[in-house]
Amino acid sequence: QVQLVESGGGSVQSGGSLRLSCRVSGFSVSSRCIGWFHQAPGKEREAVATIFTEAESTYLADSVEGRFTISQDNAENTLYLQMNRLKSDDTGVYYCAARLVDDRWCGPAEFMYRTWGQGTQVTVSS
């Protein structure tokens, strides 16, 4: 059974750090396109970072360049998002999402992802 379970969200002051985790079951985290999406209050969900290890593909949104890092632990079958120097604009729900189709695309278009976790809330206060 395919499942994505996020954890690690919470409340932090501006400038602080958090690490989000996405525990994957039902497929190997390195064998598919997988990533993190952010939905700010009242806004549409947008890609933050994606990775497809076997296709040697990564994407990182300009807004988080130099602050966020996406990584994965193949032994734990877990995806991570290390978030540093957090800003109030980073507040929102963070979702883990994956593409289980047999192609090598791994871009930021949200509608191309059909498998989603339940999300984890991040609140950054100034």
Side-chain angles (χ1 to χ4, degrees):
Q1 181 181 357
V2 173
Q3 196 172 17
L4 307 176
V5 179
E6 302 97 332
S7 62
S11 296
V12 64
Q13 289 192 327
S14 180
S17 298
L18 284 173
R19 189 177 79 156
L20 306 184
S21 300
C22 173
R23 182 81 177 191
V24 174
S25 56
F27 66 96
S28 170
V29 70
S30 64
S31 69
R32 291 288 185 264
C33 172
I34 189 167
W36 291 99
F37 291 74
H38 170 228
Q39 187 165 26
K43 296 188 178 180
E44 294 186 351
R45 194 161 49 186
E46 296 182 333
V48 174
T50 67
I51 184 169
F52 189 171
T53 298
E54 289 190 0
E56 298 181 332
S57 172
T58 58
Y59 164 82
L60 193 64
D62 290 343
S63 60
V64 304
E65 184 76 47
R67 301 189 298 122
F68 291 10
T69 303
I70 189 169
S71 64
Q72 59 193 69
D73 184 325
N74 294 337
E76 295 294 325
N77 215 33
T78 299
L79 180 73
Y80 298 102
L81 184 69
Q82 178 65 45
M83 306 189 295
N84 299 328
R85 303 200 327 262
L86 283 159
K87 306 175 182 179
S88 57
D89 287 349
D90 298 321
T91 292
V93 181
Y94 284 77
Y95 297 89
C96 178
R99 301 186 71 242
L100 303 183
V101 295
D102 289 329
D103 64 36
R104 302 178 82 76
W105 185 90
C106 197
E110 185 260 4
F111 70 92
M112 295 289 281
Y113 293 78
R114 300 297 179 90
T115 301
W116 293 85
Q118 83 287 351
T120 186
Q121 174 71 41
V122 170
T123 303
V124 184
S125 58
S126 56

